[in-house]
Amino acid sequence: MATNGPTRREWLSAVPAAMYAGLPAEAAAQTGANATRPNIILIISDQFRWDCVGAMGLNPMNLTPNLDQMANRGVLFRSAFCNQPVCAPARASIFTGQYPSRHGVWKNGFGLAENAVTLAGTLRQQGYSANYMGKWHLAAGAGNGAEIAGAVPPAQRGGFADLWEGANALEHTSHAYEGDLFDNDGKPIHFSGQYRTDFMTGRAQRFLRSLKSPFLLVLSYLEVHHQNDSDTFDPPKEFAKRYPNPYIPPDLRPFPGSWPSQLSDYYRCVAKMDETVGTIRRTLAETGLDRNTILAFFSDHACHFKTRNTEYKRSPHEGSIHIPLIIEGPSFNRSMAVDQLVSQVDFAPTLLEAVGVPVPASMQGHSFLRLLDRRTEGWSNEVYFEMSEFVTGRGLRTPQYTYAVSAPKPPGWRAVASAEKYVEYILYDLFGDPYQQVNLAGRAPYQQVSEGLRKRMLERIREASGAAPAIEPSWFPYS
């Protein structure tokens, strides 16, 4: 973007006043000077499996030609993970750069603190507008864990104080072809007879064609998440006959679950989501925004189709915690893949560094921008994650191992944020067992491995939350 354009006064006078309603005075004053800073667009596809991306080389069905093009131009992160495999905690980690035990949203239904330091709030202080469309899932309802479904009060929007067209739990305010988002004033934006993803994308296109830089825009789609009240994956009607005999990922094949009846529809939703990414990328090219916009695609968690528990996620397995991450644009147009492990707490620090904004001290993650220059020294090549609701647990993913501990479940057990005692219950050697079919927890030949991972887990728990629980070896040792 050229730097010898209109003066700050001329530029600001051309911007719709509504865009800067409520913008801090010091931020507004910086807006013209920051016009050359890259814009940021984040596309979140709910419950998207990492191995569906064709560029990963694991799924032969050619579901994602647009994402593959994006990966070819930008950076493909082969080992990206969530910090808690469920919607609200993961999203809070994305926007705060903190682990769930720090930001406090340890389960669905808990709201993000109104004074939380977030990616949106930090960028607005530097002259960005912060705009949001789609599913939010970070507003607190009345009572303990009760969820708001629709309109989100302004104070609970995590710093997204400019354009707002969202629903806290979009899965409860819409179906595939009818439903509601809610605007800045909490009024419904109704759609009917149009596929939910297309409706939202159309509004995003209009917004992008009239937007001034610099901006942050989050497009948070419900797809490819299942429709809660029907427990179905609902693709667009025109995709109904695609993929009748789908490729079955190896981690699903040995296990009963919902995949025999749901996988084809899931792939149809994946293909539609890829088409949506293509539409957004074309819009950026048509408007010239692609020259100065960082575009990131990722998910909040993955999907194991009830093969590892009675839910779609909330477990330490790859089908639950391993997510796609592709980024293109300024600083990221490298045509490369990164193998080092990264996680959601690292997203905000990375994006802030990429646009030249200081990273707040409250953020626990670390920018992985240096990995793009192959500067790996000092990078902690492991991911710490937490689990709630199905178990109260903690996990560690290293290049070779998945290690997880959980709190015992006495009679009358209820989910809690943390525990004073955990017990080892998962250990997979991913070098020999990449599809996690043989649990090695408690096996004598792996005692030394478990001891090392246990020590590291205690260090990571302490770093994340300050807690110092006990971790007991597996209660079911094998010789």
Side-chain angles (χ1 to χ4, degrees), residues 214-236:
F215 64 84
L216 165 66
L217 173 63
V218 175
L219 302 176
S220 178
Y221 292 93
L222 179 61
E223 285 69 29
V224 295
H225 194 284
H226 61 286
Q227 187 68 44
N228 290 51
D229 55 359
S230 61
D231 197 24
T232 56
F233 293 91
D234 295 344

Side-chain angles (χ1 to χ4, degrees), residues 229-246:
D229 55 359
S230 61
D231 197 24
T232 56
F233 293 91
D234 295 344
K237 297 173 183 176
E238 63 270 24
F239 285 24
K241 295 183 179 181
R242 293 191 183 187
Y243 319 125
N245 186 27

Side-chain angles (χ1 to χ4, degrees), residues 221-400:
Y221 292 93
L222 179 61
E223 285 69 29
V224 295
H225 194 284
H226 61 286
Q227 187 68 44
N228 290 51
D229 55 359
S230 61
D231 197 24
T232 56
F233 293 91
D234 295 344
K237 297 173 183 176
E238 63 270 24
F239 285 24
K241 295 183 179 181
R242 293 191 183 187
Y243 319 125
N245 186 27
Y247 168 78
I248 304 168
D251 67 306
L252 302 182
R253 294 175 194 169
F255 300 106
S258 61
W259 61 265
S261 61
Q262 292 182 332
L263 193 56
S264 289
D265 279 338
Y266 182 84
Y267 283 162
R268 292 164 189 147
C269 291
V270 166
K272 180 60 181 180
M273 203 55 241
D274 178 76
E275 180 183 279
T276 299
V277 170
T279 300
I280 296 298
R281 294 182 79 230
R282 284 193 299 274
T283 303
L284 294 177
E286 291 165 3
T287 58
L289 288 169
D290 63 322
R291 294 190 294 271
N292 198 38
T293 298
I294 295 170
L295 177 66
F297 174 86
F298 54 87
S299 187
D300 50 356
H301 52 76
C303 181
H304 59 56
F305 294 95
K306 305 182 182 180
T307 55
R308 304 295 186 158
N309 56 29
T310 56
E311 304 177 8
Y312 291 96
K313 54 264 186 182
R314 295 186 176 94
S315 84
H317 301 87
E318 296 292 283
S320 183
I321 64 172
H322 202 154
I323 59 173
L325 176 61
I326 305 171
I327 311 179
E328 67 176 344
S331 298
F332 293 94
N333 287 340
R334 307 288 190 100
S335 298
M336 67 181 294
V338 170
D339 292 323
Q340 282 74 29
L341 278 66
V342 302
S343 70
Q344 290 166 339
V345 294
D346 303 318
F347 291 6
T350 301
L351 293 168
L352 291 172
E353 183 185 1
V355 301
V357 172
V359 178
S362 62
M363 293 188 175
Q364 296 175 289
H366 301 281
S367 170
F368 48 69
L369 206 58
R370 62 192 174 98
L371 298 179
L372 278 56
D373 295 323
R374 304 303 188 189
R375 293 189 289 114
T376 60
E377 63 282 357
W379 183 257
S380 179
N381 199 29
E382 64 184 23
V383 167
Y384 166 76
F385 59 94
E386 301 175 357
M387 294 173 287
S388 69
E389 299 184 59
F390 191 82
V391 297
T392 298
R394 303 292 186 259
L396 198 63
R397 173 59 158 83
T398 76
Q400 182 171 1

Side-chain angles (χ1 to χ4, degrees), residues 4 15 27 30 56 72 90 99 116 139 161 213 220 230 242 296 302 337 349 357 403 443-444 478:
N4 58 347
V15 180
Q30 297 179 53
M56 291 288 186
N72 186 58
Y99 295 101
S213 299
S220 178
S230 61
R242 293 191 183 187
V357 172
Y403 173 77
R443 295 179 185 262
Y478 297 88

